[in-house]
Structure formats: structure tokens, C-alpha cells
Amino acid sequence: SAASAASAAVDHMRNWALGTEENDWVSMAIPSTGDYDAPEGIITSFPCTTQNGQYEVVTGLEIDEFSRKKIEASWAELVEERDAVAGMGLLG
């Protein structure tokens, strides 16, 4: 629902602005730089810590095989969409 999406956006901005608790992380949709072998140049969710308005990807978390397959399927869809839009000449 729209309220659920709005609540998630508020939570995201609160965590980014106020920071995460020590020894805790949140999921943030950010541009990929290849962490967890994600394709570069897509916007996808990563485990992050935040402090002073900056985020940092938490590395080294274990991902089970089932979750890895689901995540990689999502990445493939994002790459396909990115490439389709690029083929339209809409990206710089």
C-alpha cells in the first residue's frame, strides 16, 4: 500500500540522517559498486550502517544459497531494465 511505502521511505531517511545503532545495520537501496558481487550501476538493497548522513555497506555477511538465487534473479531483472532504458537513449 501507499502507506507502507511512505513508512519505509520515512524509516530510510531517519536511519540515514540519525545513524544506525552500534552493531546494527539496515537495508538501503543504493547504487551498486560491486559489493556481494552485485552488478555495478544498478540500484539495489545492501546492508548498511549510517553515521553523520553517510552510509557504508556492511561486508562479509553470509548469504544462503536460496537467498543468493533470489537476489541474483532480482539483479538480472534490474540489469535488463537498465539496459532497456539505456537502449532508448534516456540515460546520459
Side-chain angles (χ1 to χ4, degrees):
S1 74
S4 178
S7 177
V10 168
D11 290 346
H12 180 93
M13 295 307 298
R14 182 192 65 243
N15 290 325
W16 194 356
L18 300 180
T20 51
E21 298 289 326
E22 189 172 338
N23 299 316
D24 196 12
W25 55 267
V26 295
S27 296
M28 293 183 71
I30 59 171
S32 172
T33 59
D35 292 300
Y36 293 95
D37 298 322
E40 291 187 30
I42 61 170
I43 307 295
T44 190
S45 182
F46 289 98
C48 294
T49 58
T50 61
Q51 186 174 23
N52 301 319
Q54 302 293 315
Y55 64 83
E56 184 175 329
V57 175
V58 175
T59 58
L61 296 178
E62 298 272 336
I63 302 173
D64 64 60
E65 185 178 341
F66 174 82
S67 297
R68 169 69 65 179
K69 286 181 181 180
K70 296 295 186 181
I71 291 167
E72 288 177 353
S74 178
W75 291 343
E77 290 177 11
L78 291 168
V79 167
E80 185 178 318
E81 291 171 2
R82 178 199 62 199
D83 293 348
V85 171
M88 296 177 192
L90 300 174
L91 300 177

